[in-house]
Amino acid sequence: MRITRVFGAALLALGLAAGPAAADSSPSPSASADDSAPTRAGTSFRTAAEVRQGQQATASASTGDYLYWSFPADVGQRPTVEATVKLPAAHGAQTWQIDVYDGLRRRQACQYGAATRTAGQGASTVDLACVLRTVRGWSEPWGNDPLPGTYYVRLTALDLGSADLGKPVGAEVRVDSKDIGGAAAADGSLGKPLVPGIAVKSESDGGGSRTAVLSSFGSDDGWSSGWWSDRWVWTAIGGVLAALAGIGGYALTRGAGRPSRVPPNV
């Protein structure tokens, strides 16, 4: 009975501990569509339009332009960038590509997804996708691992005929992410997220001209501290299970190797 009570209490404690961990590992909710989503794209890293995860950014441009957006990604997230290009009614075959760069402007490889696609003559749209690797809290200086901070998306046409240059196109870009949790945790953290000081939006100064301001991606978005993850919970659960296994084994084998006591002969 005592062993049963011990195991019952332990299972109850494990259930209470695993609840928050399961909640943390669930996909992060997407932000609902609102009027704050950008309706134009930047033409360089410095003027990239700021889009938050869950928003769908739109832009009107001309074939041959470079279109830039930026978004924040934190530790444990696996971002997915999706883009749709609406092509003009008449056009030749053309190839489109999306590239994703981190805060140090290092190009990040796509884990999977079609980041480059060719639209045949007469196609109305072309869809692109890039699923990045999970953002880590720390990396070796020579590594190219994705780190927390600002990421840049560049959309452009790579291969098109001279007759298609300058034709109007429409672009839609959406960024979502899946929260991987402690499975991707690393031992270490950055001192600061990789957020450039150059702004992705502008505001008017007193004279009426528009100047760059600091990026709005920052501590208000709740950058993780880098040391806590749900793997601490699972490590504690493993320790409790190991202790229970030791207690249970001792209780089951207690006295098995001792000789039975026989009353002395009188």
Side-chain angles (χ1 to χ4, degrees), residues 60-75:
S60 298
S62 299
T63 308
D65 291 344
Y66 284 86
L67 307 179
Y68 288 83
W69 293 268
S70 64
F71 67 92
D74 208 348
V75 176

Side-chain angles (χ1 to χ4, degrees), residues 9-190:
L11 290 175
L12 178 60
L14 292 179
L16 294 176
D24 291 341
S25 61
S26 60
S28 56
S30 298
S32 57
D34 53 38
D35 295 336
S36 62
T39 56
R40 58 186 305 175
T43 56
S44 66
F45 286 102
R46 179 170 179 170
T47 60
E50 183 179 288
V51 58
R52 299 190 179 276
Q53 294 187 19
Q55 288 183 328
Q56 180 168 294
T58 58
S60 298
S62 299
T63 308
D65 291 344
Y66 284 86
L67 307 179
Y68 288 83
W69 293 268
S70 64
F71 67 92
D74 208 348
V75 176
Q77 294 182 340
R78 180 183 294 166
T80 298
V81 181
E82 297 177 320
T84 299
V85 182
K86 299 179 179 179
L87 304 173
H91 65 83
Q94 47 189 258
T95 302
W96 287 80
Q97 178 173 300
I98 52 174
D99 298 295
V100 183
Y101 300 84
D102 65 7
L104 298 178
R105 299 185 184 179
R106 303 175 303 179
R107 186 177 182 275
Q108 292 295 316
C110 299
Q111 192 174 24
Y112 51 88
T116 304
R117 275 189 171 174
T118 300
Q121 185 175 2
S124 58
T125 61
V126 57
D127 296 322
L128 307 168
C130 176
V131 180
L132 298 177
R133 294 171 295 167
T134 304
V135 178
R136 296 164 51 88
W138 179 84
S139 176
E140 296 288 352
W142 56 83
N144 194 36
D145 298 311
L147 297 171
T150 300
Y151 283 75
Y152 296 94
V153 180
R154 183 178 69 184
L155 173 65
T156 188
L158 298 180
D159 184 17
L160 49 87
S162 58
D164 291 329
L165 284 173
K167 288 187 175 181
V169 294
E172 296 178 356
V173 171
R174 181 181 178 90
V175 180
D176 293 293
S177 68
K178 181 180 180 181
D179 191 355
I180 304 302
D187 293 330
S189 62
L190 292 180

